[in-house]
Amino acid sequence: MAFPEGFLWGGATAANQVEGAWNVDGRGPAMTDVTMGGSVKQTRKITYLDADGNPGYLERHGKLPEGARYAVLPDHYYPNHIGVDEYHRFEEDIALFAEMGFKTYRMSISWSRLYPTGLEAEPNAAGVEHYRRVFQCLRDHNIEPLVAIWHFDTPLYLEEHCSGWLNRETIDHYVRYAETCFREYKGLVRYWLTFNEINNGMPQDNLKNPLPQWRYQEGVQILHYQFVASAKAVQIGHEIDPNNMIGNMICGICYYPGTCDPADIELNRHMWEQKIFYCGDVQCKGEYPSFTRRVWAAHDVDESKLDITEDDLAELKRGTVDMYTFSYYMSQNVTTHTDVEEVGGNMSSGARNPYLTYSDWGWSTDPSGLTYYLEVVNDRYHLPIIITENGLGAFDTVEEDGSIHDPYRIDYFRQHVQAMQRAIDWGVNLIGYTTWGCIDVVSAGTGEMRKRYGFIYVDMDDEGKGTLDRSRKDSFYWYQRCIATDGEDLG
Ligand code: BG6
């Protein structure tokens, strides 16, 4: 079958969604630690105390009122505080990954575990040691770590007191942290990602409601600082160990025109440019693409207010990535027509596609879109590719005898593995695949546990009740066979 020798089969998680231990061994808080759980109907809320000490609730991207402070409120539940307790159970979890035959495990380092506020000159030794033990454990099981340096978790202190990524100085704080990672884990980690789904920083209007201009003005500036931070990290990573393979990471959505109306065809191309190629081109080609000014103008971004220097542009040129990596969950229909049903998913939205099925959370299932996406980015960048996330969030039921039958998940993965096989047959240089939430994790979007992605079930509910015990779902054995036969046995 199609998969090349040494193909990196594996699974993926992120520190803030699995580790828990949010205030253990010197770790500082991140935004997820002041974010409550939600659901598909109820957005997650960020909590704070106002200037008079009264509790308050913010939406994502909301601005703190004058004098307010982010706060963990009593009698409120914060699912990321516990995660699935991987901080204390990583040995058990890695043994299960090894049992499935993982060749790689994609995970992230929590920035605030190494630099609790982000401002420290030296890292927190306990945090550094923790990840050394995790990486050593992976190596002991012959599993190659694939490590994201940032997965939506800037230290809360930087966000609250230093304007986060709207402040140029955050570049230096990030670079100091990234350098620590490269130095400390040299020889243990070779595959790195600088930023998870960096393109989620580029806003996207809902079908029927445009976003305010400031969202784009800030989004473009934040992205620029992150591009520079990433480019500097890539250069340092290469200096410290020329064997390092460093990638970007894009939230890969396959956009389709909603109709054959020429206006939809054009809007669809613009969507690919704004959401997929804008970030991909900067990180893979080292320069802003030709359509950049059009993207800015379309959203009234005032160029004269952007802080982009000649030195920055030179950094981008020097710091291009070695591989293209992306998450893939769905395709989306782009249209100028408003008489359609809007569907959401993974921080974006589009019109319902009548040819696809949708999950209980409204995310479309579209394996053909994966083949399409792979061919597009293979042709555009000519880099090795890893799909660093793909999976189905679904409700699971534990039977009386403890078994968990998840044919829907097996079906989803079977179709996506076949889609990868097709792409490889057609010439795509795909070198790895890490399924999302290989063990159940706290959902990033909704904060739920019951939106489960794993091959491994974790006994924990949305209120924090459960033993945290792990058990194998039917899909565990399916993926084990898939890996053992390099994608031949998908039955
Ligand atoms: C990706 C993120 O956007 O999608 C993950 O990188 C996230 O952190 C995953 O968990 C699935 O999204 P959700 O909202 O179902 O957890």
Side-chain angles (χ1 to χ4, degrees):
M1 294 291 271
F3 291 94
E5 216 184 308
F7 188 78
L8 291 167
W9 295 99
T13 63
N16 72 81
Q17 292 172 259
V18 290
E19 282 182 358
W22 71 289
N23 56 2
V24 169
D25 292 340
R27 182 184 179 277
M31 193 64 84
T32 42
D33 298 312
V34 288
T35 307
M36 296 161 56
S39 69
V40 72
K41 294 201 182 98
Q42 164 83 51
T43 54
R44 300 186 74 176
K45 301 283 187 298
I46 299 167
T47 54
Y48 65 87
L49 288 174
D50 71 13
D52 301 322
N54 301 313
Y57 303 88
L58 271 186
E59 295 291 335
R60 222 176 106 79
H61 298 297
K63 303 257 186 209
L64 268 185
E66 191 67 28
R69 288 275 170 267
Y70 292 115
V72 172
L73 303 178
D75 304 324
H76 287 59
Y77 180 60
Y78 299 88
N80 301 75
H81 285 188
I82 302 178
V84 294
D85 196 33
E86 210 199 41
Y87 188 75
H88 298 110
R89 295 168 196 246
F90 69 87
E91 282 163 329
E92 177 187 354
D93 293 343
I94 290 171
L96 286 164
F97 301 153
E99 190 182 323
M100 266 188 282
F102 279 21
K103 312 290 180 219
T104 188
Y105 173 49
R106 181 201 161 192
M107 53 176 280
S108 74
I109 295 177
S110 155
W111 184 350
S112 58
R113 212 177 273 295
L114 264 52
Y115 289 91
T117 66
L119 294 175
E120 293 81 0
E122 296 299 325
N124 167 28
V128 173
E129 277 323 297
H130 170 73
Y131 291 108
R132 197 186 311 288
R133 288 204 306 278
V134 173
F135 298 142
Q136 192 54 58
C137 181
L138 287 166
R139 290 254 161 246
D140 293 346
H141 285 90
N142 294 318
I143 297 175
E144 183 81 46
L146 164 59
V147 178
I149 295 171
W150 181 92
H151 194 116
F152 306 147
D153 53 359
T154 307
L156 190 61
Y157 189 92
L158 289 184
E159 304 261 25
E160 185 166 7
H161 301 281
C162 312
S163 309
W165 281 100
L166 276 171
N167 184 345
R168 178 175 275 279
E169 287 171 18
T170 300
I171 298 174
D172 295 336
H173 303 313
Y174 170 90
V175 169
R176 188 167 64 255
Y177 156 56
E179 179 165 357
T180 300
C181 297
F182 293 128
R183 280 200 196 290
E184 291 289 343
Y185 308 124
K186 180 176 176 179
L188 282 171
V189 179
R190 191 180 154 227
Y191 290 88
W192 299 93
L193 310 176
T194 54
F195 283 87
N196 181 66
E197 292 189 342
I198 194 167
N199 59 324
N200 279 337
M202 173 60 84
Q204 182 192 330
D205 291 341
N206 298 325
L207 268 183
K208 297 171 192 174
N209 300 310
L211 294 171
Q213 186 272 350
W214 69 262
R215 284 286 312 281
Y216 285 94
Q217 188 76 34
E218 290 193 355
V220 166
Q221 186 63 68
I222 286 171
L223 271 179
H224 177 71
Y225 290 151
Q226 293 187 339
F227 290 151
V228 175
S230 173
K232 288 187 170 196
V234 168
Q235 293 169 72
I236 292 170
H238 286 153
E239 273 161 34
I240 291 173
D241 188 347
N243 287 319
N244 277 333
M245 283 283 285
I246 308 175
N248 62 346
M249 203 317 210
I250 300 288
C251 175
I253 290 177
C254 187
Y255 292 104
Y256 299 142
T259 70
C260 52
D261 178 345
D264 281 7
I265 305 294
E266 183 179 86
L267 188 66
N268 182 58
R269 186 165 59 77
H270 289 183
M271 189 64 87
W272 274 91
E273 292 173 346
Q274 176 180 321
K275 287 298 291 185
I276 307 296
F277 300 144
Y278 182 91
C279 294
D281 284 11
V282 173
Q283 293 192 288
C284 299
K285 298 180 173 182
E287 58 189 24
Y288 277 98
S290 56
F291 51 78
T292 298
R293 287 209 160 84
R294 198 201 63 233
V295 171
W296 294 350
H299 303 290
D300 297 324
V301 172
D302 182 346
E303 201 181 330
S304 70
K305 295 202 174 114
L306 292 176
D307 173 23
I308 298 179
T309 67
E310 287 302 318
D311 283 353
D312 292 346
L313 299 178
E315 291 289 358
L316 300 185
K317 265 263 170 275
R318 288 194 290 264
T320 54
V321 292
D322 306 308
M323 55 184 182
Y324 184 92
T325 80
F326 70 103
S327 60
Y328 179 80
Y329 293 92
M330 70 190 86
S331 59
Q332 265 179 15
N333 274 9
V334 178
T335 179
T336 55
H337 299 258
T338 49
D339 56 338
V340 291
E341 186 189 343
E342 187 164 3
V343 282
N346 221 6
M347 301 186 208
S348 60
S349 66
R352 181 173 286 276
N353 185 331
Y355 301 100
L356 299 178
T357 56
Y358 287 80
S359 79
D360 290 319
W361 279 262
W363 296 26
S364 67
T365 295
D366 182 9
S368 299
L370 177 58
T371 312
Y372 187 108
Y373 190 98
L374 280 165
E375 290 200 277
V376 168
V377 295
N378 187 65
D379 184 49
R380 191 173 183 97
Y381 299 119
H382 303 280
L383 289 172
I385 300 172
I386 301 181
I387 301 164
T388 45
E389 290 184 29
N390 172 238
L392 176 72
F395 297 108
D396 289 329
T397 307
V398 184
E399 306 294 337
E400 278 195 1
D401 65 357
S403 57
I404 299 145
H405 306 304
D406 55 348
Y408 35 89
R409 188 168 291 109
I410 293 174
D411 214 44
Y412 180 98
F413 282 124
R414 182 186 298 116
Q415 294 179 55
H416 286 81
V417 170
Q418 286 166 344
M420 296 191 302
Q421 283 172 332
R422 219 165 33 238
I424 294 170
D425 278 345
W426 294 349
V428 170
N429 185 13
L430 181 65
I431 63 165
Y433 175 61
T434 58
T435 67
W436 177 250
C438 46
I439 178 166
D440 292 343
V441 305
V442 174
S443 157
T446 66
E448 292 167 289
M449 272 306 301
R450 63 190 188 150
K451 186 180 187 188
R452 295 177 183 276
Y453 284 89
F455 303 116
I456 300 164
Y457 184 89
V458 179
D459 178 26
M460 170 59 57
D461 70 13
D462 291 340
E463 279 81 49
K465 294 193 202 78
T467 60
L468 286 163
D469 284 351
R470 279 53 172 154
S471 44
R472 298 164 185 79
K473 305 180 191 176
D474 286 357
S475 56
F476 180 101
Y477 302 103
W478 177 86
Y479 198 42
Q480 189 180 49
R481 285 196 305 279
C482 168
I483 296 176
T485 59
D486 260 329
E488 258 188 69
D489 183 354
L490 299 178

